[in-house]
Amino acid sequence: MNNYVLEFEKIDQTNKALVGGKGANLGECAKISGVQVPTGFCLTTEAYQKAVSENEVLQALLHQLSAQKITNQDQISKIGQSIRALIEEIEIPREIEAEITTNLAKIGFEQAYAIRSSATAEDLPTASFAGQHDTYLNIIGKTEILKHIKKCWASLFTDRAIIYRIQNNFEHTDVQLSVVIQQMVFPSASGILFTADPITGNRKTLSIDASFGLGEALVSGLVSADVYKVQENTIIEKNIATKKIAIYSIKTGGTKTKSLPAAQQTNQTITDHQILQLEQLGRSIEAYFGKPQDIEWCLADDQFYIVQSRPITTLFPVPKEADTENHVYLSVGHQQMMTDPIKPLGLAFYLLITPAPMRIAGGRLFVDITPNLAAPASREILINGIGQSDPLMKDAIETNTTEEARPIPTPSADKPIENIPEIATSLIANNEASLAKLKQTIQTKSGSAVFDLILEDIPEFKRVLFNADNLRVLLSAMNAATWLNEKMQEWLGETNVADTLSQSVANNITAEMGLELLDVADAIRPYPEVIAFLQNTKDPNCLEKLGDLQGGEAARDAITTYLDKYGMRCAGEIDISRTRWSEDPTILIPMILSNIKNFQPNASHQKFEQARKEALQKEHDLLARLKNLPDGEQKAAKTKEVITVLRNLTGYREYPKYGMINRYFVYKQALLKEAAQLVQAGIIKELEDIFYLDFEELHEVVCTGQLDYTIITTRKADYSQFDKLTPPRVLTSDGEIITGKYKRENLPSDAIIGLPVSSGTIEGRARVILNMADANLEEGDILITPFTDPSWTPLFVSIKGLVTEVGGLMTHGAVIAREYGLPAVIGVENATTRIQDGDHIRVNGTEGYIEIL
């Protein structure tokens, strides 16, 4: 039996395929005690399918539409117009019209109705599709209702709806449309109610938008709304707008816009009592659905009616806690230069290693810093440490948490500085010996024994990674840089001298990685046949095919040698599931080809030597000038000593992460061997499915050979949803996003402000790059990107400046920018949207700002 019509009282979430998101939510709202929903019914998607499926011309147009890309806007518009015209002319089948007539008779033919679209791809957790399809108000009479039903069907194919579907990867033929036919309410006021603050994300703050008349004036942007904020039965904020117009219904049908009398324009739209009534309604609806809601309401004859409720899809999730206390969380991704979501196996490994109190939200890791904020001493240590990795985090916490928001003193130059290069050398040797032992042992293990060995190795991993001497070396290097910058400014009036003095230092494994890829380019440069092959290959196994080409063996040897040392690296490398360069060498090919194009042979040696000479010249100049000062010999001697520490130890900053990722890759290779056995046994469909299980779950699957595959499919969908969210730097347990600001003056009025981390001023073409694989850089470009981790270093040899959205003084991009002598400004909020690809810009890495020229 066909279901062409369903009344609200018969609708719930199980009917979403028949009535769409809006219809299903209205049916649910009608069941909530104390919530009034105007009477109505839904014309189901089966009615839409019946009406359109037999029209061959329409089906051909839909097929054409599915082939369009988002760039073909003229063609999209033309096809959409043809489809709409066809749908508006079709005859509604008799049996469908009969059911509509029967249900209209129950409510009354003389009544006015709202005719509203409800698509199956609407009000989803991942995309609301709100406002993409049409609504018609105050429609009177059966003939007009049938006409506007077809208009709703046709609104599936407006330009905006088609483009939105393409952007969200929905097939046009998969989306069906139901039509909500609902008795019209004639409101004195209407608006939107958010049960969580849509700006700050605070789940305890309820936000109400309100204006006179129908809500169409508000949602279409014709009028500014009053905004009221409510917390726990208390109105905490009111912003009364000037409301010059309102839209009202006409008795004969349709609507009209009216100018409001001057005396009414600045009146509060609803009373304080009504605001608090709305709060209670909102909390009831939120409790019923179990998540924050975006609710459309209207007020008629002192009665509130709910005409829609949908989940708020833009809120960042809140970490789960066992208690109801207040908590403050810091984003780990902003400190680790990887703000993308991490797959479950990646999260599990990070949690195995870190000693910090971690929480998971939105596929990202957050550390609970609440205990650190409780005491002045620990608070000061925490905020000073955060300031090194992300000053916007530091400001957010300083200005928005307890302790009277007192400013935290910045680190001074009076910190211990030790010259301990032999400890750095020993730490490297220790890590390599430990890693070699693990590689040898894990080769002998299989099945459950692999997991047992990894768990046994984790304490050794922690011993190597968190060795107290690591911190001694890193702090001495940082303290040396701080001392040099402060003392040279005090004694000589020179700023940021440590940036130049840090160029071409010893033991910087990441800087060496970028330069050594130039050597790979040198090995390939003489062989045009190899270059042509690399320009056209997308095959991850491409190295195996090089042997047949002239120079192919030499090229393969050069790339393989490079991968033996650096092949465990990749973008987002703290997530063990990410594809490594060894697993897909094509990731490196664009950078190798760029190096061949942009550099002459032996460029790596020349670049290193040029930067080293600049550093030594800067040292020579500083010492010479210091000797002319009072107590000059003493000042010069101390400065020489600190410069030696800086140059001996700064490079080690990059080694612990390199050691960590090396070990990760050993674990990953062993687990992928087990995954191959699971694929062969038909337990999982593809190797990468294991990344959607945590460590213990994967261990159990290997032991039992059993897997509930809905876990994989659900987590893949979750990951796709998380990928669309932007993680906050600082988040509270109420869901409030706390933001920080740069507090600097005397900068150009149009300056885009960030953190200065590598001195110098440079002008050039901005290249906005979101994915390293898409990098097409010319020498002299300025790289604009959300964040860089060590895998981006090979790009640094081609650029002359760096701008990132995330980072601090001692994060990867800053360290390597100083090593290579690149002016850099990082921690620039929304840099990749505020600066357009191709803009001519000036980067001031000394003062910390960018100008678009």
Side-chain angles (χ1 to χ4, degrees):
M1 180 181 168
N2 290 312
N3 289 306
Y4 293 136
V5 169
L6 281 177
E7 295 167 332
F8 285 169
E9 54 265 32
K10 296 176 182 174
I11 293 171
D12 59 27
Q13 292 297 327
T14 63
N15 305 121
K16 190 171 277 189
L18 284 173
V19 299
K22 186 177 293 175
N25 289 350
L26 275 171
E28 295 282 10
C29 283
K31 296 174 173 54
I32 304 172
S33 175
V35 173
Q36 295 295 319
V37 174
T39 306
F41 59 91
C42 288
L43 186 62
T44 70
T45 55
E46 287 188 4
Y48 167 76
Q49 274 292 87
K50 172 77 174 170
V52 303
S53 61
E54 294 168 12
N55 190 311
E56 291 180 6
V57 177
L58 180 58
Q59 296 306 314
L61 286 168
L62 284 173
H63 184 71
Q64 283 183 40
L65 191 61
S66 292
Q68 302 305 313
K69 292 187 167 57
I70 201 162
T71 49
N72 305 342
Q73 302 223 355
D74 288 346
Q75 194 65 12
I76 286 170
S77 185
K78 186 178 174 184
I79 298 170
Q81 190 174 17
S82 299
I83 292 173
R84 292 196 303 276
L86 262 178
I87 291 175
E88 289 190 33
E89 292 301 319
I90 61 175
E91 289 289 327
I92 294 179
R94 286 183 183 178
E95 61 267 42
I96 297 174
E97 185 178 333
E99 287 200 40
I100 295 168
T101 304
T102 300
N103 281 273
L104 287 174
K106 291 178 186 176
I107 304 170
F109 287 113
E110 75 288 353
Q111 297 289 341
Y113 290 87
I115 314 295
R116 309 169 72 201
S117 306
S118 177
T120 53
E122 199 168 61
D123 300 339
L124 302 175
T126 53
S128 76
F129 283 76
Q132 297 304 317
H133 311 111
D134 289 348
T135 288
Y136 300 95
L137 301 177
N138 201 27
I139 307 301
I140 301 172
K142 176 182 163 183
T143 302
E144 284 298 303
I145 289 168
L146 294 176
K147 177 175 137 186
H148 284 87
I149 285 170
K150 290 190 285 185
K151 282 181 173 290
C152 282
W153 287 344
S155 74
L156 263 180
F157 300 99
T158 59
D159 290 1
R160 70 176 185 271
I162 293 167
I163 288 167
Y164 194 81
R165 285 197 294 275
I166 294 172
Q167 288 171 330
N168 286 276
N169 298 314
F170 277 87
E171 275 295 327
H172 305 297
T173 50
D174 290 347
V175 180
Q176 310 294 327
L177 197 93
S178 165
V179 180
V180 177
I181 300 162
Q182 189 173 23
Q183 188 173 348
M184 186 72 190
V185 172
F186 299 97
S188 57
S190 306
I192 301 167
L193 159 63
F194 298 96
T195 64
D197 192 316
I199 306 302
T200 68
N202 192 328
R203 269 58 164 187
K204 287 186 177 175
T205 301
L206 184 140
S207 181
I208 300 167
D209 289 6
S211 63
F212 295 115
L214 291 164
E216 296 308 290
L218 192 158
V219 297
S220 60
L222 295 175
V223 66
S224 297
D226 290 356
V227 180
Y228 318 121
K229 303 279 176 95
V230 191
Q231 272 188 7
E232 297 173 347
N233 209 37
T234 302
I235 300 167
I236 59 169
E237 187 182 322
K238 287 185 199 174
N239 289 302
I240 310 301
T242 301
K243 301 164 286 290
K244 294 185 177 180
I245 61 164
I247 297 177
Y248 292 100
S249 301
I250 307 167
K251 284 189 178 180
T252 54
T255 62
K256 71 174 180 181
T257 302
K258 290 183 180 178
S259 295
L260 294 175
Q264 188 183 357
Q265 289 178 11
T266 54
N267 284 352
Q268 185 172 314
T269 307
I270 57 176
T271 67
D272 287 5
H273 174 67
Q274 288 167 334
I275 291 170
L276 296 177
Q277 274 185 285
L278 265 182
E279 182 202 18
Q280 295 306 312
L281 268 176
R283 292 299 178 211
S284 296
I285 295 168
E286 178 184 59
Y288 181 87
F289 284 107
K291 60 185 69 172
Q293 296 289 300
D294 165 358
I295 299 165
E296 294 175 26
W297 58 270
C298 54
L299 177 67
D301 301 323
D302 208 31
Q303 172 69 56
F304 282 109
Y305 293 89
I306 302 302
V307 293
Q308 179 54 352
S309 185
R310 61 175 72 87
I312 306 175
T313 60
T314 54
L315 294 175
F316 196 84
V318 178
K320 288 184 172 63
E321 288 289 355
D323 60 43
T324 56
E325 301 298 314
N326 293 325
H327 294 265
V328 180
Y329 309 101
L330 279 192
S331 164
V332 173
H334 283 82
Q335 297 165 75
Q336 287 291 337
M337 301 289 95
M338 214 291 272
T339 55
D340 295 343
I342 300 176
K343 294 188 179 77
L345 191 64
L347 292 169
F349 266 99
Y350 205 97
L351 292 172
L352 279 172
I353 294 156
T354 180
M358 289 291 174
R359 305 291 182 268
I360 297 171
R364 278 88 169 177
L365 286 161
F366 290 82
V367 60
D368 185 355
I369 60 167
T370 317
N372 306 74
L373 296 174
S378 59
R379 182 174 184 273
E380 186 169 325
I381 291 167
L382 170 79
I383 295 182
N384 280 334
I386 291 167
Q388 292 290 330
S389 64
D390 194 314
L392 289 175
M393 277 187 179
K394 177 183 176 183
D395 183 68
I397 296 166
E398 267 184 333
T399 55
N400 291 281
T401 58
T402 53
E403 289 291 304
E404 290 74 49
R406 61 186 178 82
I408 298 298
T410 53
S412 74
D414 304 324
K415 300 280 184 176
I417 298 171
E418 301 177 89
N419 190 20
I420 41 178
E422 71 287 348
I423 291 182
T425 306
S426 171
L427 288 167
I428 292 170
N430 187 315
N431 181 77
E432 289 179 353
S434 175
L435 189 67
K437 183 181 176 184
L438 171 66
K439 285 180 178 177
Q440 188 176 10
T441 309
I442 210 163
Q443 293 294 329
T444 65
K445 305 294 182 183
S446 63
S448 184
V450 170
F451 294 83
D452 294 339
L453 177 63
I454 289 172
L455 288 175
E456 288 167 17
D457 187 64
I458 293 294
E460 171 67 3
F461 192 169
K462 290 181 178 179
R463 183 190 71 79
V464 171
L465 191 59
F466 301 117
N467 189 313
D469 282 338
N470 269 335
L471 193 57
R472 271 182 73 195
V473 173
L474 297 177
L475 284 177
S476 282
M478 288 166 60
N479 294 340
T482 302
W483 189 95
L484 287 164
N485 284 337
E486 288 190 7
K487 294 302 183 186
M488 294 310 102
Q489 180 149 23
E490 179 188 339
W491 294 339
L492 298 174
E494 281 234 28
T495 58
N496 301 341
V497 297
D499 294 356
T500 305
L501 294 168
S502 299
Q503 293 179 189
S504 294
V505 296
N507 289 328
N508 190 324
I509 191 73
T510 310
E512 290 166 10
M513 179 174 73
L515 294 173
E516 286 173 33
L517 200 63
L518 288 169
D519 297 335
V520 175
D522 286 351
I524 296 171
R525 185 179 278 107
Y527 304 112
E529 204 175 331
V530 173
I531 294 170
F533 172 78
L534 294 178
Q535 284 170 334
N536 295 296
T537 186
K538 299 287 182 188
D539 182 1
N541 300 312
C542 60
L543 299 188
E544 296 170 14
K545 300 174 182 176
L546 284 173
D548 299 334
L549 307 174
Q550 185 181 359
E553 287 190 18
R556 184 174 57 206
D557 289 348
I559 296 172
T560 303
T561 301
Y562 186 84
L563 291 174
D564 286 344
K565 188 173 180 182
Y566 302 113
M568 82 301 296
R569 308 219 86 150
C570 67
E573 60 192 10
I574 63 167
D575 180 355
I576 202 170
S577 74
R578 290 290 187 108
T579 302
R580 311 284 143 174
W581 293 344
S582 286
E583 295 168 329
D584 184 2
T586 61
I587 299 168
L588 286 175
I589 287 173
M591 289 181 275
I592 294 170
L593 294 172
S594 174
N595 288 346
I596 292 170
K597 176 183 174 184
N598 292 325
F599 295 100
Q600 295 299 313
N602 202 31
S604 66
H605 176 74
Q606 291 167 4
K607 274 185 163 287
F608 185 84
E609 278 304 306
Q610 181 185 342
R612 191 178 71 86
K613 286 176 182 173
E614 284 179 19
L616 295 178
Q617 186 61 50
K618 171 61 77 175
E619 177 183 347
H620 178 271
D621 293 348
L622 291 172
L623 298 179
R625 290 168 61 196
L626 286 170
K627 286 174 183 175
N628 292 325
L629 299 178
D631 300 323
E633 291 294 337
Q634 186 179 343
K635 287 175 178 171
K638 178 61 177 175
T639 301
K640 171 68 177 172
E641 180 186 321
V642 178
I643 290 172
T644 301
V645 174
L646 182 78
R647 292 192 59 77
N648 280 342
L649 303 185
T650 294
Y652 183 74
R653 158 68 180 79
E654 291 293 301
Y655 192 86
K657 182 89 170 276
Y658 174 76
M660 172 186 175
I661 302 307
N662 255 303
R663 213 171 196 97
Y664 258 13
F665 194 44
V666 175
Y667 294 160
K668 183 182 183 184
Q669 287 174 303
L671 293 177
L672 285 174
K673 280 185 183 176
E674 298 307 313
Q677 297 294 320
L678 295 175
V679 171
Q680 196 172 352
I683 297 165
I684 61 172
K685 294 171 187 173
E686 49 193 34
L687 291 177
E688 289 77 13
D689 284 351
I690 67 167
F691 301 143
Y692 295 93
L693 299 171
D694 68 28
F695 185 81
E696 289 302 325
E697 289 167 342
L698 179 56
H699 191 180
E700 188 175 341
V701 172
V702 168
C703 289
T704 65
Q706 302 293 316
L707 171 63
D708 176 2
Y709 230 85
T710 57
I711 296 173
I712 305 288
T713 52
T714 301
R715 287 183 184 166
K716 283 183 177 180
D718 288 345
Y719 183 84
S720 178
Q721 178 186 346
F722 297 150
D723 199 31
K724 296 176 183 177
L725 299 174
T726 300
R729 283 174 162 84
V730 184
L731 180 69
T732 74
S733 48
D734 292 337
E736 184 171 4
I737 293 170
I738 299 176
T739 56
K741 294 178 181 175
Y742 292 110
K743 297 177 172 68
R744 296 211 301 279
E745 299 173 354
N746 305 318
L747 297 182
S749 58
D750 57 352
I752 299 172
I753 302 173
L755 180 71
V757 295
S758 186
S759 295
T761 301
I762 204 79
E763 292 182 16
R765 179 179 65 160
R767 294 311 312 268
V768 178
I769 296 174
L770 306 181
N771 185 336
M772 196 175 75
D774 302 328
N776 180 19
L777 291 162
E778 302 283 345
E779 188 176 14
D781 283 343
I782 297 170
L783 175 61
I784 319 292
T785 192
F787 54 82
T788 65
D789 60 12
S791 71
W792 286 71
T793 300
L795 293 179
F796 283 27
V797 298
S798 295
I799 60 176
K800 65 177 181 182
L802 174 70
V803 177
T804 70
E805 295 180 339
V806 175
L809 193 63
M810 291 307 294
T811 48
H812 157 76
V815 172
I816 302 303
R818 291 193 291 271
E819 165 82 16
Y820 285 174
L822 304 173
V825 180
I826 65 178
V828 181
E829 289 208 279
N830 303 314
T832 56
T833 52
R834 294 163 76 186
I835 301 168
Q836 301 297 309
D837 188 62
D839 279 349
H840 189 67
I841 64 172
R842 179 184 297 126
V843 175
N844 188 320
T846 306
E847 298 293 330
Y849 64 90
I850 302 104
E851 294 173 280
I852 298 174
L853 305 175

